[in-house]
Amino acid sequence: MSKSRLHRLSELGQSVWIDSLSREWLRTGELKRLMDEDAVVGVTSNPTIFQKAMSEGDWYDEQLRALLAEEDELKEIFFRLAFDDIREACDLMRQVWDVSEGQDGYVSLEVEPGIAHDTEATIEQAQRFHEEIAKPNLYVKIPATAAGVPAIEEMIARGKSINVTLIFGLDRYAEVANAYIRGLERLVEAGGDLTTVTSVASFFVSRVDTETDRRLDEIGGHDHLKGKLAIANAKLAYQRYKEIFSGERWDALLPYGASTQRCLWASTSTKNPTYRDVMYVEELIGPQTVNTMPKETIEAFQDHGEIRGVTLEEGLDEARDVFIELAKAGVDYDDVTRVLEEEGVQKFADSYDELLEGIAAKRAELVAA
């Protein structure tokens, strides 16, 4: 039997994760099928994903009925529902985690978007998630806001694995990577075990082009620059990754079993229908990275994706030139990434509110019935 395109992608050192989770997928065997047929070795979730999962069908109704008898707070009801899905997914992925020696097989659950600018609240909730879910292959997702960066360091120092989400800019990425290293250094000083803690740094890709292209449309006359920044941004981030996780400071942690904080390419579905639908997979292939794709992108890549090799290392001079040309055209990169971070937090907050409203509506239906 010939290997699928995604299995061949994995052979180049890039892990394939899926950016969705639902109880339906767990109970019908769909997630297991994706693992077997599509080389999926990790799962990420966020408020938008759970909002979609819980609003469709009746997969959560039975547990929700039971919870209504003992819990009134909507947020706590959501946590109970989500924790069960995450635990079940962690158990399904556990063999992957074991075989990969803790590099893959993770399932991610995000802290509340409403606390993205509150360091202490983020730390408290991330700790709670790790304690209550109690699975070694859990990633708690913390947004890469200014307040999130010290929370990331603290959780790593406590030996808790973290998926850093909503990264857009190169400078913020460097802050995140250095926070991870500081956390590991503190863990060593405290006598902790570095072999049990890992992290990924999740760059949101397609949204960078969406915002940049919108600004180019407003400026006019620079259509040749459209659809360029997201890939250029990721390629330069990968170069920073290689720089940060090398040299004396990093080498000092290797004897303790430290793992690098891999770059994860998120938001890799193509939003503009005029662009190739798998370009954010094809152009971002490289070892020690993760691409977390929606199911539609997995299916598209399995059908017609092209694997040219390690594309993350191609066209680096051209990638740098994209930044220069965009600046000349009047696109402020720092402002693009600032706006995207703010919008990213707000979009997840809106989904979270919708999710709680959906639980409230479902609760009303069940009570009435």
Side-chain angles (χ1 to χ4, degrees):
M1 183 177 170
S2 62
K3 291 179 179 174
S4 76
R5 287 175 168 86
L6 288 173
H7 283 93
R8 285 190 277 134
L9 189 72
S10 301
E11 288 178 348
L12 290 172
Q14 183 167 74
S15 298
V16 179
W17 291 8
I18 190 160
D19 78 342
S20 192
L21 179 65
S22 71
R23 188 159 296 181
E24 181 178 4
W25 280 16
L26 291 164
R27 302 292 162 81
T28 62
E30 178 62 11
L31 181 55
K32 182 66 169 65
R33 186 197 66 76
L34 287 159
M35 294 167 67
D36 294 338
E37 297 179 11
D38 299 311
V40 168
V41 292
V43 177
T44 57
S45 68
N46 59 47
T48 304
I49 287 160
F50 269 113
Q51 188 272 328
K52 183 174 184 292
M54 292 181 181
S55 66
E56 295 175 350
D58 56 4
W59 291 93
Y60 296 89
D61 287 6
E62 184 178 349
Q63 186 183 7
L64 189 52
R65 284 190 190 94
L67 288 173
L68 290 177
E70 55 189 75
E71 182 60 63
D72 292 323
E73 189 175 344
L74 293 174
K75 181 177 74 173
E76 291 301 319
I77 292 172
F78 163 63
F79 286 165
R80 297 276 290 277
L81 295 169
F83 287 0
D84 281 0
D85 282 2
I86 296 292
R87 287 190 196 99
E88 191 170 339
C90 282
D91 288 342
L92 184 60
M93 285 277 168
R94 178 60 189 264
Q95 186 178 3
V96 174
W97 187 81
D98 289 335
V99 170
S100 68
E101 298 182 330
Q103 286 301 295
D104 286 307
Y106 287 93
V107 182
S108 299
L109 176 64
E110 187 160 346
V111 297
E112 285 177 79
I115 60 173
H117 302 295
D118 186 331
T119 301
E120 290 306 315
T122 298
I123 293 168
E124 182 180 348
Q125 194 165 96
Q127 183 71 29
R128 176 190 173 183
F129 285 3
H130 269 293
E131 288 177 358
E132 293 196 22
I133 293 172
K135 299 291 181 181
N137 53 332
L138 169 70
Y139 265 142
V140 174
K141 293 173 79 170
I142 295 178
T145 57
V149 171
I152 293 155
E153 177 185 336
E154 177 61 27
M155 293 310 298
I156 297 299
R158 295 184 185 189
K160 304 300 182 185
S161 294
I162 298 297
N163 176 342
V164 184
T165 189
L166 288 176
I167 303 174
F168 297 97
L170 294 171
D171 288 345
R172 182 53 56 83
Y173 166 63
E175 291 178 31
V176 164
N178 282 299
Y180 174 64
I181 292 174
R182 286 194 303 273
L184 292 179
E185 290 169 340
R186 288 172 54 192
L187 187 56
V188 168
E189 290 171 7
D193 183 2
L194 267 60
T195 64
T196 63
V197 59
T198 61
S199 181
V200 288
S202 298
F203 264 84
F204 278 52
V205 181
S206 63
R207 295 186 193 182
V208 173
D209 278 342
T210 300
E211 176 65 17
T212 304
D213 290 0
R214 184 189 65 77
R215 296 184 184 210
L216 287 170
D217 282 336
E218 288 181 354
I219 294 166
H222 299 278
D223 285 358
H224 66 291
L225 291 174
K226 288 183 179 179
K228 302 291 186 184
L229 182 58
I231 289 169
N233 196 44
K235 287 186 174 185
L236 297 190
Y238 187 61
Q239 295 306 306
R240 288 211 184 180
Y241 160 81
K242 295 197 298 180
E243 293 166 7
I244 292 169
F245 293 99
S246 63
E248 289 184 15
R249 184 182 183 191
W250 178 248
D251 289 348
L253 292 169
L254 294 179
Y256 299 96
S259 299
T260 62
Q261 182 189 55
R262 291 183 295 171
C263 291
L264 179 153
W265 315 125
S267 185
T268 52
S269 61
T270 306
K271 306 300 188 289
N272 188 327
T274 66
Y275 299 157
R276 185 166 167 80
D277 60 352
V278 289
M279 74 179 200
Y280 297 124
V281 183
E282 292 174 335
E283 301 299 327
L284 301 179
I285 301 171
Q288 283 297 299
T289 60
V290 178
N291 196 314
T292 183
M293 311 174 202
K295 191 176 182 183
E296 296 76 16
T297 303
I298 283 177
E299 291 170 350
F301 192 84
Q302 289 286 55
D303 180 67
H304 54 265
E306 296 177 2
I307 301 173
R308 299 196 309 273
V310 180
T311 50
L312 270 170
E313 300 282 12
E314 295 176 356
L316 296 179
D317 288 339
E318 290 88 340
R320 296 183 185 97
D321 287 343
V322 167
F323 280 75
I324 294 168
E325 291 185 51
L326 282 169
K328 288 180 180 177
V331 175
D332 185 335
Y333 170 79
D334 291 334
D335 189 63
V336 167
T337 58
R338 177 192 62 79
V339 166
L340 287 171
E341 180 184 301
E342 291 175 359
E343 286 185 351
V345 171
Q346 188 57 52
K347 283 177 181 177
F348 282 159
D350 292 344
S351 291
Y352 194 78
D353 290 342
E354 274 187 59
L355 187 156
L356 296 183
E357 289 168 8
I359 292 173
K362 182 75 81 168
R363 177 173 63 181
E365 287 175 24
L366 294 174
V367 169

